[in-house]
Amino acid sequence: AELVLSTIGKAIGGRVFGPIGAALLQAGGAALGRGIDQQLFGPKLSREGPRLTDLHLQGSTEGASMPALYGRVRLAGQVIWAARFKEQVNTQSSGGKGGPRLTTRTYAYSLSFAVGLGEGEIARIGRVWANGEELDLSEFSWRLYSGLEMQTPDSLMEAIEGADNAPAYRGLAYVVFEDMPLERFGNTIPQLSFEVMRATPNAGAGPRFEEM
């Protein structure tokens, strides 16, 4: 493009404005062509952000027992199910116009998973902590299964595993997090702990909660 436009500029400038015009338009055509060449064939730089190949889960031990609890308890629970993490690629370009073009790719991840809390029906959960800091559950999509003997499988598990393969975890209280963003936790599942409450039977006084 530089050679072609400089030649055209020289020819037009010389025919219209004489030798001075030929020199000026030749220089202008060369500059314009050089810019086009840089855009088409100039150096391209690429920068890649950190990318996951695997994801380590918080406590997920095959055959591990689930606690039977009463009162108010803070516990970590066990990861009982997890889907494959989702990857989102963000691409940004900068530079150009005569200089090198830089393309930066960064990766963001989210994960759907379930954490088992304990055997039997619980009343509710209170506070939740992630890596020791209290977590605002309103920022996430989550569902609590209180541990009923007749509870049905989670809809997300059914969609991923298939209706015939998704367990209902009857009699087990658990929490499902759907597409939890992991960037703020260093692109891994945070160490979660839950304040779990289950009524303590007390004859003549009704159920109550006790610190444990």
Side-chain angles (χ1 to χ4, degrees):
E2 180 179 1
L3 178 61
V4 171
L5 292 180
S6 65
T7 302
I8 293 174
K10 179 180 180 181
I12 294 175
R15 193 173 295 178
V16 177
F17 302 106
I20 296 178
L24 292 176
L25 288 183
Q26 181 182 16
L32 179 60
R34 192 178 305 115
I36 295 174
D37 287 341
Q38 287 288 347
Q39 289 293 321
L40 295 176
F41 308 110
K44 299 178 181 179
L45 304 178
S46 179
R47 179 183 298 162
E48 294 279 339
R51 191 175 187 183
L52 290 182
T53 56
D54 196 6
L55 194 63
H56 298 287
L57 307 180
Q58 77 173 72
S60 180
T61 305
E62 185 175 355
S65 60
M66 285 290 178
L69 55 94
Y70 287 97
R72 181 183 290 122
V73 181
R74 177 174 174 175
L75 50 79
Q78 288 277 334
V79 174
I80 57 176
W81 174 83
R84 179 164 178 78
F85 60 81
K86 293 182 180 179
E87 180 182 78
Q88 178 182 348
V89 183
N90 302 307
T91 304
Q92 290 184 333
S93 297
S94 59
K97 295 184 179 179
R101 285 178 291 170
L102 174 63
T103 299
T104 302
R105 292 186 184 87
T106 57
Y107 301 89
Y109 296 91
S110 64
L111 184 71
S112 298
F113 61 97
V115 181
L117 302 177
E119 292 184 0
E121 182 181 357
I122 66 172
R124 61 187 177 91
I125 61 173
R127 292 170 294 174
V128 177
W129 295 266
N131 297 336
E133 296 184 1
E134 192 166 345
L135 194 67
D136 184 359
L137 288 179
S138 66
E139 299 178 3
F140 304 94
S141 175
W142 65 282
R143 293 178 290 279
L144 171 65
Y145 291 84
S146 59
L148 296 173
E149 290 296 336
M150 299 301 293
Q151 68 190 11
T152 57
D154 181 74
S155 58
L156 178 64
M157 292 186 190
E158 284 190 315
I160 294 176
E161 305 294 344
D164 296 331
N165 298 320
Y169 296 111
R170 294 186 175 95
L172 175 68
Y174 68 99
V175 178
V176 176
F177 288 94
E178 185 170 347
D179 287 330
M180 173 185 275
L182 301 179
E183 184 176 6
R184 63 190 286 189
F185 308 116
N187 282 332
T188 188
I189 294 183
Q191 291 296 319
L192 297 171
S193 56
F194 302 81
E195 183 181 37
V196 183
M197 301 174 195
R198 185 180 186 187
T200 302
N202 186 18
R208 61 194 177 100
F209 296 111
E210 295 179 350
E211 296 287 348
M212 295 184 65

